[in-house]
Amino acid sequence: YSVKLLLPKQYPVACHTDYIGQGSTFVAIKGFATNGVSFVSRAIEKGATCIVLEQAEQLSQATLDCVHQNGVKIQRVANARKALAQLSAQAADFPAKKLKIIGITGTKGKTTVATLIYLCLNALGINAQLVSTPGGVSFLGALSDFGKDDSTVSVCEFSSWDLEGAQEEMRSPSVSVLTSLFADHLDRHKNMKEYASAKALIFQFQKNNDLLIIPKDNLQIRSLTRSAPSRIIEVDGSFALAQPLKIKGEHNQMNVAL
């Protein structure tokens, strides 16, 4: 299967200069290989009028000169990643609070499951859209490109960083899917507990009539979701198939079930 997403070339708020345009706000986030502070001048060249920095970040004299010469505003924050989510949500008029969202997260399988759900909904005649956020922008900003109200179901794939950065701006989706949980991305999280806690945000703010779908007999996920306020549905991937799956791999039988 193939699903093509057409996304804007620029956003009101971004942390990558590829998505910066005239009047944009550039949020300088410190990554593991690079620091957004190094790209402030480039962001200004592309039209950024506001630069968001964490309190401890310092700009070189050359960058400061560029800021002053172009009349660019500097905004200091405690946490740049959270600021990216908050400013993106504000610029997009808080789309996550208006849209009907099915949220999918997990160490593995989330892209496949999100795509399968999207294709199934469309096959059933339900107006749906697949939302996958490009690196460099918050999904809260990207959501505004896919719809303005709940007439369309937005099927959203969330990374742990998406969920962690936006927890203050987004309620948990009314339908959430947690595909898997493995010891991964520990270069970005302090430990497995922190990583699992980030994933748990997909259901932490659900209501008691919301749905959380998880794989059956996964003890780690069962333990994590024990405190979920919503209705939990455990899915068994060991079902008989009428015909072979077109997508290869035994793991995809569980992905199809989810």
Side-chain angles (χ1 to χ4, degrees), residues 46 52 59 64 76 79 81 112-113 123 127 130 156 177 186-187 209 214 221 233 237 249 254 257:
K46 294 196 68 177
V52 178
L59 299 177
L64 284 171
R76 295 282 182 174
N79 186 310
R81 192 170 294 277
T112 300
V113 171
N127 191 20
L130 182 62
C156 304
V177 183
L186 298 186
D187 55 338
N209 58 338
I214 63 174
I221 289 181
I233 298 177
M254 176 57 79

Side-chain angles (χ1 to χ4, degrees), residues 180-196:
S180 60
L181 190 64
F182 298 103
D184 201 357
H185 305 298
L186 298 186
D187 55 338
R188 297 186 178 185
H189 296 275
K190 293 178 181 178
N191 49 49
M192 186 62 187
K193 182 178 179 181
E194 182 183 278
Y195 175 57

Side-chain angles (χ1 to χ4, degrees), residues 101 103 171-178 199-214 221-222 224-234:
I101 296 173
R171 60 189 180 192
S172 297
S174 57
V175 178
S176 295
V177 183
L178 180 54
K199 289 296 190 183
L201 293 169
I202 195 80
F203 61 80
Q204 186 172 321
F205 303 107
Q206 285 188 310
K207 299 176 182 178
N208 57 12
N209 58 338
D210 291 338
L211 296 179
L212 172 60
I213 302 169
I214 63 174
I221 289 181
R222 183 178 289 175
L224 179 66
T225 59
R226 187 175 294 125
S227 62
S230 49
R231 177 188 172 197
I232 298 177
I233 298 177
E234 292 191 346

